[in-house]
Amino acid sequence: MNKAARHDRLFQRLCLSAALLVMATLAGLLLALVIGGWPAISHFGPRFFTSAAWDPVADNYGAAGPLVGTLVTALGAMMLALPLAMGVAVFLVEFCPRRLAHPLGLAVEMLAGIPSIVYGMWGLFVLAPWFALHVQLPLLLNLDPDTFWGKLFNGIPNGANIFTASLILAVMVLPYMATVFREMLLTVPPHMREAAYGMGCTSYEVVTYIMIPYVRRSAIGAVMLGLGRALGETMAVTFVIGNSHAFPDSLFASGSTIASTIANEFAEASSDLHVSALMALGLVLFCITFATLAAARLLIGREAS
């Protein structure tokens, strides 16, 4: 075997080792969560996933409150951030003057680099008080609490609620998604756009019928990237969600997420069952994230077929 062949085989083995290391790390993480969370799951049974009770004094725990809070805040953030991110990307690629597109793109990328603790402090000291005074309080005073809208927006006007957490998450995932969308739209061949304009298409038609369909498969990955960030965010949500383990009954009700519950209580867990319940919450979050990625792969596979 010559020297080049030995180097090639060594390179292949190094790549295989890297892949196996990643798989082993993932398997070890999953095993640790299963072992740590199993005592709570076996003790409470299915009730652990359906109950909103969370009482460390009585060692009574249920994951329904944090689970619903995680899903509602993440989906709410995506509903707010997705159209804005696409709009920002389309503007930078299609309408923004060339001399401004680069600095504006850098500004959007800089937003993605801001630590989550900074977003949380901004949400706690700026967004939450403003939201309570100018949004929650007027809605509370003007909506009938017996109507659908009154029940949907019912809650203590303190700015710490499910909807505020969704706003914070939307601001956090927006630059990630906008940056990825922008890079994808830049891959659209110029001759396709020029041909569409030459046929008399408007800008709206070029964007909706040429550019977006061209990057549709990759866009699914960008959406899932933002959703994964929203599902696992911890500190920013902890500041503004209210940290109530009760089942949220409105958008303006205080709540909690799986990540915020673990961050708040893991260091002060007072019993083995309490620690196990928090580990079980981590396992639930792991499964949600895995299911999200699996769904993304299925959607991308369908688009390809």
Side-chain angles (χ1 to χ4, degrees):
M1 183 182 296
N2 57 33
K3 184 176 181 180
R6 289 197 300 270
H7 288 175
D8 187 63
R9 178 167 293 184
L10 176 62
F11 177 71
Q12 292 179 10
R13 290 178 178 176
L14 289 175
C15 292
L16 176 61
S17 300
L20 292 177
L21 179 62
V22 172
M23 296 301 297
T25 302
L26 181 63
L29 175 61
L30 178 61
L31 182 62
L33 291 174
V34 171
I35 294 175
W38 182 250
I41 295 175
S42 61
H43 179 81
F44 297 106
R47 184 169 63 87
F48 180 77
F49 303 100
T50 59
S51 172
W54 193 272
D55 186 1
V57 176
D59 259 353
N60 186 22
Y61 306 102
L67 176 59
V68 171
T70 300
L71 296 177
V72 171
T73 54
L75 294 178
M78 296 306 298
M79 292 176 63
L80 294 170
L82 180 57
L84 292 175
M86 183 59 72
V88 170
V90 169
F91 173 76
L92 291 175
V93 172
E94 193 68 14
F95 304 113
C96 185
R98 189 177 299 274
R99 65 180 182 275
L100 294 178
H102 183 65
L104 288 178
L106 288 178
V108 173
E109 293 175 3
M110 287 179 62
L111 287 175
I114 298 177
S116 61
I117 190 71
V118 176
Y119 281 109
M121 293 175 63
W122 172 76
L124 178 64
F125 296 113
V126 179
L127 178 61
W130 180 91
F131 189 83
L133 181 61
H134 297 284
V135 178
Q136 275 192 273
L137 190 58
L139 287 176
L140 184 64
L141 295 176
N142 291 282
L143 290 178
D144 186 350
D146 295 326
T147 63
F148 169 79
W149 295 109
K151 294 178 180 179
L152 182 64
F153 297 118
N154 184 39
I156 300 174
N158 58 4
N161 52 66
I162 294 286
F163 189 79
T164 308
S166 296
L167 284 176
I168 289 289
L169 287 176
V171 173
M172 295 182 66
V173 303
L174 174 61
Y176 286 93
M177 297 173 60
T179 300
V180 176
F181 282 144
R182 174 173 174 260
E183 295 300 323
M184 289 190 302
L185 293 177
L186 288 173
T187 65
V188 179
H191 68 269
M192 294 180 62
R193 296 159 56 196
E194 294 168 358
Y197 281 121
M199 295 175 60
C201 293
T202 63
S203 298
Y204 173 79
E205 291 171 334
V206 171
V207 171
T208 55
Y209 297 116
I210 303 297
M211 299 177 68
I212 293 180
Y214 187 86
V215 301
R216 182 168 49 194
R217 286 183 58 197
S218 301
I220 296 174
V223 172
M224 292 305 169
L225 173 67
L227 181 58
R229 174 71 189 273
L231 287 170
E233 179 53 42
T234 305
M235 294 310 301
V237 173
T238 304
F239 275 105
V240 297
I241 200 170
N243 297 306
S244 170
H245 296 292
F247 193 88
D249 55 1
S250 73
L251 289 179
F252 289 168
S254 297
S256 63
T257 64
I258 293 175
S260 67
T261 300
I262 295 174
N264 280 327
E265 301 193 13
F266 200 85
E268 301 177 357
S270 55
S271 67
D272 293 339
L273 192 59
H274 192 180
V275 174
S276 179
L278 295 174
M279 295 288 286
L281 285 180
L283 178 62
V284 171
L285 183 58
F286 182 94
C287 293
I288 292 174
T289 305
F290 182 83
T292 301
L293 295 177
R297 297 303 304 174
L298 288 175
L299 289 174
I300 293 175
R302 270 185 198 175
E303 292 290 338
S305 61

